[in-house]
Amino acid sequence: MFSDVTYKIRFTLLLVPFSTFCHGWTTFDPQCTAPNESTNFVASAEVRGTMDIVWSCLSVLILCVWSIHHFCVPNFVKNESSSQGNWMKKALLANIKKLNWSLLAILAPEYIFAKALAEKLAAHYSYKQFQEHRQHGWSDWTITHAYFANMRGFVMRFNTRAVPMSLIPSKPDKLALSRQWPQQHSDVTYFEQDVNGSIEIERRQCREICGDPCQNRDGLASEKGSTIKTEHYLDAHKTWQGYWALSASQMLYACQQGIIAGPPAITVEELKDYSKSDIFVKVMAIVQITWLVVQILARVTQNLAVTLLEITVLAFAAVMIATYLLLLGKPQDVHVATLVDARGQLNREQVIGLAARSPQSTLFVHGFWLHGVAVRTMSDNVFPYSPSFSIKLPWMTRTHHLDTVIMGMGFGGAIFGSVHCAAWNAEFPTSVERLLWRISCIVLIALPPVSVFTYDLVRYIFEARFKTNSKAKHYLKPIGYSTAPVYLLARLYLLVETFRSLAYLSPSAFQAVSWSSIVPHL
């Protein structure tokens, strides 16, 4: 009686949420006798338990999503404290940040893939641009330099006369967002902001930040009594020093305009030395992925059941491997930026030109104000500028440009869904669940490309008819609201079914591979 109660208590925590769906909860405890006397070698039992399957899969998944991230260099702060407490706090925050992005990689691996694709194309685009200026001696710029710039690796130190402010990025207000409209099909990613409009914005900021003492400085009249001329208005502010992390596109513009003397004199070897990439973790992830693939192939050859959890983890691994390949050459875990000094004071026109080459927009943006100009900054959730894919089909009257990020998410989602099709004829608890699995796989494969095609078709129609696609977003919102829930529902079903099926595995799923019958054939 005591033994029966013990078996019922030993529920696997992972399967408890799904135990209510079982007709009868049963367990099996394999018994293996030990050798009667000392022996030199004992072969492993050709059986595996449920938790063996779970932990072997989770180890592959955790290693993949933990080692895939290449974060930006932390924001440069002058005279930052280096105390032990501050170091521990930064280390804790860094691990929390890595954990959050690892969870995002599990929930949306196609987003991580799209980000890596955009970064790769942006680095190649910057490399080609610098190679076109070899006559200036800029041929030492490499793809690694472009990666480093787009991850906030190069920080320009400059002097300016503007409203005193902090250049630490924060969430921009509505006015800042409204002044950063995309510029299509150009090396400039945003419309250049109006000079007169930026002057008025800086006047307003001066009233809010500086107050009356700034308005009356040096005997200047207050705006209530007379109009302050632009040159006098700028003279009202003292010269102060700021720091600005330049992206690869902004670095090229700064070199062309003479804002800085040229690209930083730093070699690829030095950049790689800055990188603190954990090679051991990456190698272990690759070894674990390889071992998972070998096990799946071996089970197929011996007609042993492959669990849905193994197929799902293999799908994650496929997307992560593709992401690994895209990020080759990008430094990882760099914590110190390289300073580049500006040649003179930074004026309003130069700020506008640099701001026009800001990174691309996402739902989560960071920026700051300088000379009344809204500046978008690089961050881990903001994509660097990358050229779009250009196509011209026979029925098109003009060349159309496909958005890199949208294309990357569609392609990454298709990879993720395609691997799940390996379980097309797998064993399921019911035939309905098998049908839903197949439908979900089709949704994951077909919906991203269809959504990308619809998105670009609507943009093309508006560009051809109205010479702009700014109105297209009103028609694209209903499409997004209708397709996103379907895609998320399909992903959710695959996740739930993956763990639910662990309670209904066939006996052959618990049988281990007989390597003795495979190794001689190899």
Side-chain angles (χ1 to χ4, degrees), residues 343-395:
R343 303 176 70 177
Q345 287 194 10
L346 205 62
N347 56 42
R348 188 185 307 276
E349 287 71 20
Q350 292 172 338
V351 173
I352 290 177
L354 290 172
R357 290 152 180 85
S358 298
Q360 295 189 73
S361 172
T362 60
L363 294 177
F364 308 97
V365 296
H366 294 79
F368 59 85
W369 288 96
L370 182 61
H371 275 306
V373 179
V375 180
R376 191 185 303 277
T377 61
M378 276 302 305
S379 62
D380 294 306
N381 50 19
V382 175
F383 298 97
Y385 171 71
S386 58
S388 56
F389 294 99
S390 301
I391 61 171
K392 186 175 182 181
L393 300 178
W395 54 273

Short mmCIF file of all heavy atoms in Angstrom, two decimals, residues 343-395:
data_model
loop_
_atom_site.label_atom_id
_atom_site.label_comp_id
_atom_site.label_asym_id
_atom_site.label_seq_id
_atom_site.Cartn_x
_atom_site.Cartn_y
_atom_site.Cartn_z
N ARG A 343 36.31 67.68 -34.50
CA ARG A 343 37.33 68.67 -34.85
C ARG A 343 36.93 70.08 -34.42
O ARG A 343 37.78 70.96 -34.30
CB ARG A 343 37.57 68.64 -36.36
CG ARG A 343 37.99 67.27 -36.86
CD ARG A 343 38.14 67.21 -38.35
NE ARG A 343 39.30 67.97 -38.81
CZ ARG A 343 39.69 68.04 -40.08
NH1 ARG A 343 38.99 67.40 -41.02
NH2 ARG A 343 40.74 68.75 -40.43
N GLY A 344 35.68 70.34 -34.23
CA GLY A 344 35.22 71.66 -33.83
C GLY A 344 33.88 71.56 -33.12
O GLY A 344 33.39 70.47 -32.81
N GLN A 345 33.29 72.72 -32.86
CA GLN A 345 31.99 72.73 -32.22
C GLN A 345 30.93 72.16 -33.16
O GLN A 345 30.95 72.40 -34.37
CB GLN A 345 31.61 74.15 -31.81
CG GLN A 345 32.38 74.67 -30.61
CD GLN A 345 31.75 75.92 -30.03
OE1 GLN A 345 30.64 76.30 -30.41
NE2 GLN A 345 32.45 76.56 -29.10
N LEU A 346 30.01 71.42 -32.60
CA LEU A 346 28.93 70.82 -33.37
C LEU A 346 27.80 71.81 -33.50
O LEU A 346 27.21 72.24 -32.51
CB LEU A 346 28.45 69.54 -32.66
CG LEU A 346 27.80 68.47 -33.52
CD1 LEU A 346 28.78 67.94 -34.55
CD2 LEU A 346 27.30 67.31 -32.66
N ASN A 347 27.48 72.21 -34.75
CA ASN A 347 26.43 73.19 -34.96
C ASN A 347 25.11 72.50 -35.34
O ASN A 347 25.05 71.27 -35.48
CB ASN A 347 26.84 74.20 -36.04
CG ASN A 347 27.20 73.52 -37.36
OD1 ASN A 347 26.53 72.58 -37.80
ND2 ASN A 347 28.28 73.97 -37.99
N ARG A 348 24.08 73.33 -35.54
CA ARG A 348 22.75 72.81 -35.79
C ARG A 348 22.68 72.02 -37.10
O ARG A 348 22.06 70.94 -37.16
CB ARG A 348 21.74 73.95 -35.82
CG ARG A 348 20.27 73.50 -35.88
CD ARG A 348 19.36 74.69 -36.03
NE ARG A 348 19.63 75.69 -35.00
CZ ARG A 348 19.11 75.64 -33.78
NH1 ARG A 348 18.29 74.66 -33.46
NH2 ARG A 348 19.39 76.57 -32.91
N GLU A 349 23.28 72.51 -38.17
CA GLU A 349 23.22 71.83 -39.46
C GLU A 349 23.88 70.45 -39.39
O GLU A 349 23.39 69.48 -39.99
CB GLU A 349 23.89 72.68 -40.54
CG GLU A 349 23.11 73.92 -40.97
CD GLU A 349 23.11 74.99 -39.90
OE1 GLU A 349 23.99 74.94 -39.00
OE2 GLU A 349 22.23 75.87 -39.93
N GLN A 350 24.97 70.33 -38.67
CA GLN A 350 25.64 69.04 -38.53
C GLN A 350 24.80 68.07 -37.71
O GLN A 350 24.73 66.88 -38.02
CB GLN A 350 27.01 69.24 -37.88
CG GLN A 350 28.00 69.99 -38.77
CD GLN A 350 29.28 70.34 -38.03
OE1 GLN A 350 29.30 70.42 -36.80
NE2 GLN A 350 30.34 70.58 -38.78
N VAL A 351 24.13 68.59 -36.68
CA VAL A 351 23.26 67.74 -35.88
C VAL A 351 22.11 67.21 -36.73
O VAL A 351 21.73 66.03 -36.64
CB VAL A 351 22.73 68.51 -34.66
CG1 VAL A 351 21.67 67.69 -33.92
CG2 VAL A 351 23.86 68.86 -33.72
N ILE A 352 21.54 68.07 -37.57
CA ILE A 352 20.44 67.65 -38.44
C ILE A 352 20.91 66.57 -39.41
O ILE A 352 20.21 65.58 -39.65
CB ILE A 352 19.86 68.86 -39.20
CG1 ILE A 352 19.12 69.78 -38.23
CG2 ILE A 352 18.93 68.42 -40.32
CD1 ILE A 352 18.58 71.03 -38.87
N GLY A 353 22.10 66.75 -39.99
CA GLY A 353 22.63 65.75 -40.91
C GLY A 353 22.89 64.41 -40.24
O GLY A 353 22.61 63.35 -40.81
N LEU A 354 23.42 64.44 -39.03
CA LEU A 354 23.66 63.20 -38.30
C LEU A 354 22.35 62.54 -37.88
O LEU A 354 22.20 61.31 -37.96
CB LEU A 354 24.53 63.47 -37.08
CG LEU A 354 25.99 63.83 -37.34
CD1 LEU A 354 26.68 64.26 -36.05
CD2 LEU A 354 26.74 62.65 -37.96
N ALA A 355 21.39 63.36 -37.43
CA ALA A 355 20.11 62.80 -37.00
C ALA A 355 19.35 62.17 -38.15
O ALA A 355 18.59 61.22 -37.95
CB ALA A 355 19.26 63.89 -36.35
N ALA A 356 19.55 62.70 -39.38
CA ALA A 356 18.87 62.13 -40.53
C ALA A 356 19.32 60.72 -40.82
O ALA A 356 18.64 59.97 -41.51
CB ALA A 356 19.10 63.01 -41.76
N ARG A 357 20.49 60.34 -40.32
CA ARG A 357 21.03 59.00 -40.54
C ARG A 357 20.94 58.14 -39.28
O ARG A 357 21.78 57.28 -39.03
CB ARG A 357 22.47 59.12 -41.01
CG ARG A 357 22.56 59.69 -42.42
CD ARG A 357 23.84 60.44 -42.67
NE ARG A 357 23.85 60.96 -44.04
CZ ARG A 357 23.29 62.12 -44.41
NH1 ARG A 357 22.68 62.87 -43.52
NH2 ARG A 357 23.32 62.50 -45.67
N SER A 358 19.92 58.42 -38.50
CA SER A 358 19.69 57.65 -37.27
C SER A 358 19.24 56.24 -37.60
O SER A 358 18.85 55.94 -38.73
CB SER A 358 18.63 58.35 -36.41
OG SER A 358 19.06 59.64 -36.01
N PRO A 359 19.29 55.34 -36.61
CA PRO A 359 18.83 53.96 -36.84
C PRO A 359 17.35 53.90 -37.17
O PRO A 359 16.61 54.86 -36.99
CB PRO A 359 19.14 53.27 -35.50
CG PRO A 359 20.13 54.13 -34.83
CD PRO A 359 19.84 55.53 -35.27
N GLN A 360 16.93 52.73 -37.65
CA GLN A 360 15.54 52.53 -38.02
C GLN A 360 14.68 52.44 -36.78
O GLN A 360 15.13 52.08 -35.70
CB GLN A 360 15.39 51.26 -38.86
CG GLN A 360 16.10 51.33 -40.21
CD GLN A 360 15.75 50.17 -41.08
OE1 GLN A 360 14.64 50.08 -41.60
NE2 GLN A 360 16.68 49.26 -41.26
N SER A 361 13.41 52.72 -36.98
CA SER A 361 12.47 52.77 -35.87
C SER A 361 11.90 51.40 -35.57
O SER A 361 11.71 50.56 -36.45
CB SER A 361 11.33 53.73 -36.21
OG SER A 361 10.32 53.66 -35.23
N THR A 362 11.61 51.14 -34.30
CA THR A 362 10.84 49.99 -33.88
C THR A 362 9.79 50.49 -32.88
O THR A 362 9.64 51.68 -32.66
CB THR A 362 11.72 48.93 -33.20
OG1 THR A 362 12.34 49.53 -32.05
CG2 THR A 362 12.80 48.42 -34.13
N LEU A 363 9.08 49.57 -32.28
CA LEU A 363 8.07 49.96 -31.30
C LEU A 363 8.71 50.55 -30.05
O LEU A 363 8.10 51.35 -29.35
CB LEU A 363 7.22 48.75 -30.92
CG LEU A 363 6.34 48.17 -32.03
CD1 LEU A 363 5.61 46.94 -31.53
CD2 LEU A 363 5.36 49.21 -32.55
N PHE A 364 9.95 50.17 -29.77
CA PHE A 364 10.63 50.64 -28.57
C PHE A 364 11.84 51.45 -29.01
O PHE A 364 12.81 50.89 -29.51
CB PHE A 364 11.06 49.45 -27.70
CG PHE A 364 9.94 48.49 -27.41
CD1 PHE A 364 9.79 47.35 -28.17
CD2 PHE A 364 9.03 48.76 -26.40
CE1 PHE A 364 8.75 46.47 -27.92
CE2 PHE A 364 8.00 47.89 -26.14
CZ PHE A 364 7.84 46.74 -26.90
N VAL A 365 11.76 52.74 -28.84
CA VAL A 365 12.81 53.62 -29.34
C VAL A 365 13.37 54.46 -28.20
O VAL A 365 12.75 54.63 -27.16
CB VAL A 365 12.27 54.56 -30.45
CG1 VAL A 365 11.83 53.78 -31.65
CG2 VAL A 365 11.13 55.41 -29.92
N HIS A 366 14.59 54.95 -28.41
CA HIS A 366 15.24 55.83 -27.45
C HIS A 366 15.84 57.00 -28.22
O HIS A 366 16.30 56.84 -29.36
CB HIS A 366 16.34 55.09 -26.67
CG HIS A 366 15.81 54.01 -25.80
ND1 HIS A 366 15.45 52.76 -26.30
CD2 HIS A 366 15.56 53.97 -24.47
CE1 HIS A 366 15.02 52.02 -25.30
NE2 HIS A 366 15.07 52.71 -24.19
N GLY A 367 15.84 58.17 -27.61
CA GLY A 367 16.39 59.32 -28.30
C GLY A 367 16.65 60.47 -27.35
O GLY A 367 16.41 60.37 -26.14
N PHE A 368 17.18 61.55 -27.87
CA PHE A 368 17.43 62.75 -27.08
C PHE A 368 17.28 63.96 -28.00
O PHE A 368 17.14 63.84 -29.22
CB PHE A 368 18.83 62.71 -26.44
CG PHE A 368 19.96 62.59 -27.43
CD1 PHE A 368 20.49 63.71 -28.05
CD2 PHE A 368 20.51 61.36 -27.72
CE1 PHE A 368 21.52 63.61 -28.95
CE2 PHE A 368 21.55 61.24 -28.62
CZ PHE A 368 22.06 62.36 -29.24
N TRP A 369 17.31 65.16 -27.40
CA TRP A 369 17.20 66.42 -28.13
C TRP A 369 18.55 67.12 -28.12
O TRP A 369 19.25 67.13 -27.12
CB TRP A 369 16.16 67.34 -27.50
CG TRP A 369 14.75 66.92 -27.70
CD1 TRP A 369 13.98 66.19 -26.84
CD2 TRP A 369 13.93 67.21 -28.82
NE1 TRP A 369 12.73 65.99 -27.36
CE2 TRP A 369 12.67 66.61 -28.59
CE3 TRP A 369 14.13 67.90 -30.02
CZ2 TRP A 369 11.62 66.69 -29.49
CZ3 TRP A 369 13.08 67.98 -30.91
CH2 TRP A 369 11.85 67.39 -30.65
N LEU A 370 18.92 67.70 -29.25
CA LEU A 370 20.12 68.52 -29.34
C LEU A 370 19.90 69.59 -30.40
O LEU A 370 19.56 69.26 -31.54
CB LEU A 370 21.34 67.66 -29.69
CG LEU A 370 22.68 68.40 -29.78
CD1 LEU A 370 23.03 69.02 -28.43
CD2 LEU A 370 23.80 67.45 -30.22
N HIS A 371 20.05 70.85 -30.02
CA HIS A 371 19.78 71.98 -30.92
C HIS A 371 18.35 71.93 -31.47
O HIS A 371 18.10 72.30 -32.63
CB HIS A 371 20.77 72.01 -32.08
CG HIS A 371 22.06 72.71 -31.75
ND1 HIS A 371 22.12 73.98 -31.25
CD2 HIS A 371 23.35 72.28 -31.85
CE1 HIS A 371 23.37 74.33 -31.06
NE2 HIS A 371 24.16 73.32 -31.40
N GLY A 372 17.42 71.43 -30.67
CA GLY A 372 16.04 71.35 -31.12
C GLY A 372 15.79 70.26 -32.13
O GLY A 372 14.76 70.26 -32.81
N VAL A 373 16.72 69.34 -32.26
CA VAL A 373 16.63 68.24 -33.22
C VAL A 373 16.38 66.94 -32.47
O VAL A 373 17.08 66.64 -31.49
CB VAL A 373 17.91 68.14 -34.07
CG1 VAL A 373 17.81 66.97 -35.05
CG2 VAL A 373 18.15 69.44 -34.82
N ALA A 374 15.38 66.20 -32.90
CA ALA A 374 15.08 64.91 -32.29
C ALA A 374 16.04 63.86 -32.87
O ALA A 374 16.06 63.62 -34.08
CB ALA A 374 13.63 64.50 -32.57
N VAL A 375 16.83 63.25 -32.00
CA VAL A 375 17.86 62.30 -32.41
C VAL A 375 17.50 60.92 -31.89
O VAL A 375 17.25 60.74 -30.69
CB VAL A 375 19.25 62.72 -31.88
CG1 VAL A 375 20.31 61.71 -32.31
CG2 VAL A 375 19.60 64.11 -32.37
N ARG A 376 17.45 59.95 -32.79
CA ARG A 376 17.21 58.57 -32.38
C ARG A 376 18.56 57.89 -32.17
O ARG A 376 19.49 58.06 -32.97
CB ARG A 376 16.42 57.82 -33.44
CG ARG A 376 15.91 56.46 -32.97
CD ARG A 376 15.24 55.71 -34.11
NE ARG A 376 14.18 56.47 -34.70
CZ ARG A 376 12.94 56.53 -34.23
NH1 ARG A 376 12.65 55.87 -33.13
NH2 ARG A 376 12.02 57.23 -34.82
N THR A 377 18.70 57.11 -31.11
CA THR A 377 19.97 56.49 -30.78
C THR A 377 19.91 54.98 -30.95
O THR A 377 18.83 54.38 -30.99
CB THR A 377 20.37 56.80 -29.32
OG1 THR A 377 19.37 56.26 -28.45
CG2 THR A 377 20.47 58.30 -29.11
N MET A 378 21.09 54.38 -31.05
CA MET A 378 21.18 52.93 -31.14
C MET A 378 20.87 52.30 -29.80
O MET A 378 21.25 52.80 -28.75
CB MET A 378 22.58 52.52 -31.57
CG MET A 378 22.82 52.55 -33.08
SD MET A 378 21.68 51.51 -34.00
CE MET A 378 21.91 49.93 -33.21
N SER A 379 20.17 51.18 -29.83
CA SER A 379 19.93 50.37 -28.65
C SER A 379 19.73 48.94 -29.10
O SER A 379 19.70 48.64 -30.31
CB SER A 379 18.71 50.88 -27.87
OG SER A 379 17.54 50.79 -28.65
N ASP A 380 19.60 48.03 -28.15
CA ASP A 380 19.49 46.62 -28.51
C ASP A 380 18.20 46.30 -29.26
O ASP A 380 18.14 45.30 -29.97
CB ASP A 380 19.58 45.76 -27.25
CG ASP A 380 20.95 45.85 -26.61
OD1 ASP A 380 21.94 45.60 -27.30
OD2 ASP A 380 21.03 46.19 -25.42
N ASN A 381 17.17 47.10 -29.10
CA ASN A 381 15.91 46.83 -29.78
C ASN A 381 15.64 47.80 -30.93
O ASN A 381 14.52 47.93 -31.37
CB ASN A 381 14.74 46.87 -28.78
CG ASN A 381 14.77 48.14 -27.93
OD1 ASN A 381 15.41 49.12 -28.29
ND2 ASN A 381 14.09 48.11 -26.81
N VAL A 382 16.68 48.47 -31.40
CA VAL A 382 16.57 49.36 -32.56
C VAL A 382 17.50 48.83 -33.64
O VAL A 382 18.67 48.58 -33.38
CB VAL A 382 16.92 50.82 -32.20
CG1 VAL A 382 16.92 51.69 -33.43
CG2 VAL A 382 15.94 51.35 -31.17
N PHE A 383 16.99 48.68 -34.84
CA PHE A 383 17.77 48.11 -35.93
C PHE A 383 18.63 49.18 -36.58
O PHE A 383 18.17 50.30 -36.82
CB PHE A 383 16.85 47.50 -37.00
CG PHE A 383 16.02 46.37 -36.49
CD1 PHE A 383 14.71 46.57 -36.08
CD2 PHE A 383 16.54 45.09 -36.41
CE1 PHE A 383 13.93 45.53 -35.61
CE2 PHE A 383 15.77 44.04 -35.94
CZ PHE A 383 14.47 44.26 -35.54
N PRO A 384 19.88 48.85 -36.92
CA PRO A 384 20.67 49.80 -37.72
C PRO A 384 20.13 49.89 -39.13
O PRO A 384 19.41 48.99 -39.60
CB PRO A 384 22.07 49.18 -37.69
CG PRO A 384 21.83 47.71 -37.53
CD PRO A 384 20.61 47.60 -36.64
N TYR A 385 20.47 50.98 -39.81
CA TYR A 385 19.98 51.14 -41.17
C TYR A 385 20.60 50.08 -42.07
O TYR A 385 21.81 49.86 -42.07
CB TYR A 385 20.31 52.52 -41.71
CG TYR A 385 20.01 52.64 -43.19
CD1 TYR A 385 18.70 52.68 -43.63
CD2 TYR A 385 21.03 52.67 -44.13
CE1 TYR A 385 18.40 52.75 -44.97
CE2 TYR A 385 20.75 52.75 -45.48
CZ TYR A 385 19.43 52.80 -45.89
OH TYR A 385 19.15 52.85 -47.23
N SER A 386 19.78 49.40 -42.85
CA SER A 386 20.25 48.41 -43.82
C SER A 386 19.48 48.63 -45.12
O SER A 386 18.29 48.95 -45.11
CB SER A 386 20.02 46.99 -43.30
OG SER A 386 18.64 46.77 -43.01
N PRO A 387 20.14 48.47 -46.26
CA PRO A 387 19.45 48.69 -47.53
C PRO A 387 18.35 47.66 -47.76
O PRO A 387 18.45 46.52 -47.32
CB PRO A 387 20.58 48.54 -48.56
CG PRO A 387 21.60 47.69 -47.88
CD PRO A 387 21.53 48.04 -46.42
N SER A 388 17.33 48.05 -48.43
CA SER A 388 16.21 47.16 -48.71
C SER A 388 16.51 46.30 -49.92
O SER A 388 17.40 46.59 -50.72
CB SER A 388 14.94 47.97 -48.94
OG SER A 388 15.14 48.90 -49.99
N PHE A 389 15.74 45.21 -50.06
CA PHE A 389 15.85 44.35 -51.23
C PHE A 389 15.07 44.99 -52.39
O PHE A 389 13.89 45.31 -52.25
CB PHE A 389 15.29 42.96 -50.94
CG PHE A 389 16.07 42.18 -49.93
CD1 PHE A 389 15.65 42.11 -48.62
CD2 PHE A 389 17.24 41.54 -50.29
CE1 PHE A 389 16.37 41.40 -47.68
CE2 PHE A 389 17.97 40.83 -49.36
CZ PHE A 389 17.53 40.76 -48.05
N SER A 390 15.73 45.17 -53.52
CA SER A 390 15.10 45.82 -54.67
C SER A 390 14.67 44.76 -55.68
O SER A 390 15.46 43.91 -56.09
CB SER A 390 16.07 46.80 -55.34
OG SER A 390 16.48 47.79 -54.42
N ILE A 391 13.40 44.82 -56.08
CA ILE A 391 12.88 43.89 -57.08
C ILE A 391 12.04 44.68 -58.09
O ILE A 391 11.52 45.75 -57.79
CB ILE A 391 12.01 42.78 -56.45
CG1 ILE A 391 10.80 43.39 -55.73
CG2 ILE A 391 12.81 41.92 -55.50
CD1 ILE A 391 9.78 42.36 -55.27
N LYS A 392 11.94 44.14 -59.29
CA LYS A 392 11.08 44.72 -60.31
C LYS A 392 10.51 43.59 -61.15
O LYS A 392 11.17 43.04 -62.03
CB LYS A 392 11.85 45.70 -61.19
CG LYS A 392 10.96 46.44 -62.17
CD LYS A 392 11.71 47.50 -62.96
CE LYS A 392 10.75 48.26 -63.89
NZ LYS A 392 11.47 49.29 -64.69
N LEU A 393 9.26 43.25 -60.87
CA LEU A 393 8.57 42.20 -61.60
C LEU A 393 8.04 42.74 -62.92
O LEU A 393 7.90 43.96 -63.10
CB LEU A 393 7.44 41.64 -60.74
CG LEU A 393 7.88 41.02 -59.40
CD1 LEU A 393 6.67 40.55 -58.61
CD2 LEU A 393 8.86 39.89 -59.61
N PRO A 394 7.73 41.85 -63.87
CA PRO A 394 7.27 42.31 -65.20
C PRO A 394 6.05 43.23 -65.14
O PRO A 394 5.92 44.15 -65.96
CB PRO A 394 6.96 40.99 -65.92
CG PRO A 394 7.84 39.99 -65.26
CD PRO A 394 7.91 40.39 -63.83
N TRP A 395 5.15 43.00 -64.20
CA TRP A 395 3.93 43.81 -64.16
C TRP A 395 4.12 45.11 -63.38
O TRP A 395 3.19 45.90 -63.28
CB TRP A 395 2.80 43.00 -63.53
CG TRP A 395 3.12 42.42 -62.19
CD1 TRP A 395 3.73 41.23 -61.93
CD2 TRP A 395 2.86 43.01 -60.91
NE1 TRP A 395 3.87 41.03 -60.59
CE2 TRP A 395 3.34 42.11 -59.93
CE3 TRP A 395 2.26 44.20 -60.50
CZ2 TRP A 395 3.25 42.37 -58.58
CZ3 TRP A 395 2.17 44.46 -59.14
CH2 TRP A 395 2.66 43.55 -58.21
#
